[in-house]
Amino acid sequence: MTLVLFNKPYDVLSQFTDRGSPTTRATLSDFIDAPGVYPAGRLDRDSEGLLLLTDDGRLQARIADPKFKLPKTYWVQVEGVPDDAALAALRTGVSLNDGPTRPAEAERIDAPALWPRVPPIRQRASIPDTWIALTIREGRNRQVRRMTAAVGHPTLRLVRWRVGDWTLDGIASGTWTRA
């Protein structure tokens, strides 16, 4: 069994090929040379961080299928400063257009020491930003971004730091290691 932990950079697709695009976009094949592994779940092109890849179908299902409720922790840079009420709403679950989310763990954190994002996020002198750690146990399309927007704090940068017991600790952006 092979398990690859990859620190996916911003603007990279979570697949090995880019079919149907008139321009060539970066894919996993630009970074990973480990034959036979496939992503266990997805990470949007405009998100960064931990992507797990494996050649084991059962492990892939356990990681990706929401019925297993594997916790995924994101470090999220948001616009503004979420107050206690916004964090409480995230913790109890927020209503989205596809229904309420499950309760999440949410807390303000100090800005993490991360690699620079290319391109950098937009900075607005008149609007502060804050980092929060958000742990969810489901994986709807663009869920974290929709959750922070629902409590009035749009996401500026999104980094998946942890999936289950696996973390990005020690893995530079654009690099991978075997677990």
Side-chain angles (χ1 to χ4, degrees):
M1 192 250 343
T2 301
L3 179 63
V4 168
L5 283 67
F6 175 52
N7 188 346
K8 186 190 92 56
Y10 178 84
D11 206 25
V12 173
L13 297 175
S14 293
Q15 57 198 44
F16 282 97
T17 60
D18 182 18
R19 287 182 237 143
S21 174
T23 59
T24 303
R25 298 178 293 187
T27 67
L28 299 178
S29 62
D30 294 313
F31 298 89
I32 299 172
D33 182 21
V37 298
Y38 297 95
R42 296 190 64 243
L43 195 55
D44 292 329
R45 193 174 110 198
D46 56 352
S47 299
E48 308 164 70
L50 185 60
L51 184 66
L52 302 174
L53 300 95
T54 184
D55 59 359
D56 182 317
R58 269 194 247 154
L59 178 59
Q60 188 177 26
R62 196 179 114 238
I63 293 167
D65 194 323
K67 76 178 179 186
F68 293 105
K69 298 181 180 72
L70 196 64
K72 295 171 183 75
T73 300
Y74 297 84
W75 289 349
V76 191
Q77 186 177 18
V78 297
E79 194 172 88
V81 181
D83 60 15
D84 291 341
L87 294 174
L90 294 170
R91 290 181 191 124
T92 58
V94 296
S95 292
L96 302 177
N97 62 355
D98 56 353
T101 65
R102 290 184 178 139
E105 297 167 34
E107 65 179 336
R108 283 182 295 275
I109 60 172
D110 292 335
L114 295 173
W115 54 91
R117 194 187 93 170
V118 178
I121 66 151
R122 61 181 164 77
Q123 296 285 344
R124 292 162 73 182
S126 62
I127 301 176
D129 59 72
T130 305
W131 283 89
I132 61 172
L134 188 64
T135 300
I136 62 173
R137 286 174 173 76
E138 55 188 332
R140 298 188 211 173
N141 187 40
R142 302 182 71 78
Q143 180 176 343
V144 170
R145 291 176 189 281
R146 294 189 299 141
M147 287 176 73
T148 64
V151 297
H153 298 280
T155 294
L156 301 172
R157 185 173 182 190
L158 180 62
V159 178
R160 183 161 56 199
W161 181 255
R162 176 184 298 273
V163 175
D165 293 330
W166 300 288
T167 74
L168 271 186
D169 197 26
I171 306 170
S173 180
T175 66
W176 59 277
T177 188
R178 292 181 195 267

